[in-house]
Structures are given as structure tokens and as C-alpha cells.
Amino acid sequence: MTLAARDLRWDAGGRIIVDGVTLAAAPGRMLGLVGPNGSGKSSLLRLLCGLRQVKSGVVILDGTDISGLSRRAVARRIAVVEQHAGTLARVTVEDVVRLGRTPRRGALSPWTEADEAAVASALARVGLGTRRDQPWETLSGGERQRAQIARALAQEPSELVLDEPTNHLDVRHQLDMLALVRGLGVTSIVALHDLNLAALFCDEVAVLAGGRLLRSGPPETVLTAGMIAEVFGVRAEVRLSALSGRPHIEYRLD
């Protein structure tokens, strides 16, 4: 076990957002969070990486309560890619990715060859190696998302938390991005809207609704027609794909 939640609860304005969630991300595997809008996915991710303080329950990182760790110590392990990361500053792609090195460096530490290599590797892995000098404001939404993932990779994390990383990406880049994350060999927790992407890439899927964890497990046992009807209110047929051997969902319009 690397990153886990035990009976996690969080509320805002008197409304329960995350309600008694217990789950664990297996080492080196991808855990997908799915659920309707407002189900608590983004809030749960922010609790897991220490960006919000839990009201009750505990987040565990390698057997240690995350509340007892410094923000810097957590950032050395967990990299976060949020939905709407951006900046108004006049910076380049490389400037943004360099920020990923902050947890690895002291306040007065000089920039090193190791820092430079980590940034170059991260840019190359997301296909932005030739765009490092491009101004941030000239990037498309999808390019900005890839740059933010490169920033997270430059952090050299062992756990990666991503909130809707495929937003603003076309189909090819959605597939490339999730294949990249899956191939990193790090523990990853990713919130997704697209159930077919979750089925194709995630080792396990956790379904949230109303802040509660309804079920979790391998995609083939979780992503069923009954669950989709119950949670999303949509009729669907689920078959194993002949190409991937994974569940494929076809939605019914009648």
C-alpha cells in the first residue's frame, strides 16, 4: 500500500462532500475515480494529496498519517495535476515545468544538471521537447495540460494524482496521455468522466456518488450496465472489447 484513505470525511458550508470513503491505491497501479458531477471526486483527490485538511478519518502514505508530514515531504512523493491549472505570468513552457523541481531543491540551491535532465525528460515524455521556449499564453488548452503533466513528472513522484487530465485533449492525446501515465510505473489516482477510458486504462475503478464510495474493483466487475443505470441514470450495454479484452460501453438512446 502506498496511498490510502480510511473513513475519510470532509464537508463545506454544512454540506457533506466526502462521506466516509475508504480506498487504497495499489503500488505501481492506476486507480480510476468515476462518478457524476458533484460526486466528490475532485475533493477526494485534494484530500489525498494534502491540499485540504480532513474533518475526520485519515490519509495514509506508506503507513504514515499524512497530517504529520510537512508539505514539502508530501510534495516529494505526490505530484498533482489539477483541472484548471494556469498562470497570468509571462512564462515559457520550460519555466512552468521547472516549477516541478521545487520540492527537490533548497531555497538557495543552484540549478543542477540533474534538475535540467529531469525537466528535459519530462518535456520529451509529453511531446513538448521542441516547445520548451514557447510562451505559455500561446498554448492551446491541451498543450497547457500536457505542460502541467510534464511539471508533475519533473517532480519525480512515486505517486501521481490527476483530476480530469484528459480535459481539452483530442482523442489521440487522451489515449497518449493515459498510456503515458499508465506506463510510468508510479502509483496513480486519476479522476475521469469517460467510463470507456477508465475501462481501458485503469487497473481498478472506484465509483463515487453523493460523496460516498459505492463500489470498487477491476473494471470488468465495476463498470456494469446495472451500475451505470443506477449511478448515471443511463441505459447501456457493456461488452468485452475484442481489441483490448477490456469492457466497452455502448450507451442506449431509447
Side-chain angles (χ1 to χ4, degrees), residues 220-240:
E220 57 269 23
T221 64
V222 171
L223 299 177
T224 64
M227 184 280 291
I228 294 168
E230 173 190 350
V231 175
F232 295 91
V234 175
R235 296 182 65 193
E237 294 184 4
V238 183
R239 300 185 177 92
L240 288 183

Side-chain angles (χ1 to χ4, degrees), residues 94 97-99 101-102 105 108-117 119:
E94 182 178 21
V97 178
R98 277 179 167 232
L99 293 174
R101 299 302 296 164
T102 302
R105 306 172 64 242
L108 301 177
S109 299
W111 190 257
T112 67
E113 290 185 4
D115 294 321
E116 189 63 33
V119 169

Side-chain angles (χ1 to χ4, degrees), residues 2-5 8 23 33 41-54 58-61 65-67 69-82 151 155 157 159-163 187 189:
T2 57
L3 186 59
L8 212 57
L23 56 76
L33 300 183
K41 299 188 298 296
S42 295
S43 295
L44 176 59
L45 290 181
R46 292 177 70 81
L47 292 168
L48 287 170
C49 60
L51 293 179
R52 283 185 176 149
Q53 186 174 357
V54 303
V58 63
V59 176
I60 302 294
L61 181 60
D65 184 344
I66 201 173
S67 67
L69 300 174
S70 69
R71 182 65 205 144
R72 186 179 185 85
V74 174
R76 284 176 176 263
R77 285 287 305 270
I78 305 174
V80 183
V81 178
E82 298 194 73
R151 175 198 51 75
Q155 201 169 320
E159 287 84 19
L160 189 57
V161 171
L162 307 101
D163 192 0
T187 305
I189 303 178

Side-chain angles (χ1 to χ4, degrees), residues 160-217:
L160 189 57
V161 171
L162 307 101
D163 192 0
E164 296 292 346
T166 55
N167 274 2
H168 312 299
L169 299 182
D170 59 33
V171 173
R172 175 182 174 180
H173 284 112
Q174 288 180 4
L175 297 173
D176 287 349
M177 193 59 59
L178 290 175
L180 167 67
V181 172
R182 183 177 170 83
L184 290 174
V186 302
T187 305
S188 56
I189 303 178
V190 53
L192 293 166
H193 274 304
D194 190 318
L195 299 183
N196 277 314
L197 288 178
L200 185 59
F201 288 100
C202 295
D203 299 296
E204 291 198 356
V205 175
V207 182
L208 296 178
R212 299 184 66 86
L213 178 66
L214 297 188
R215 64 191 71 181
S216 65

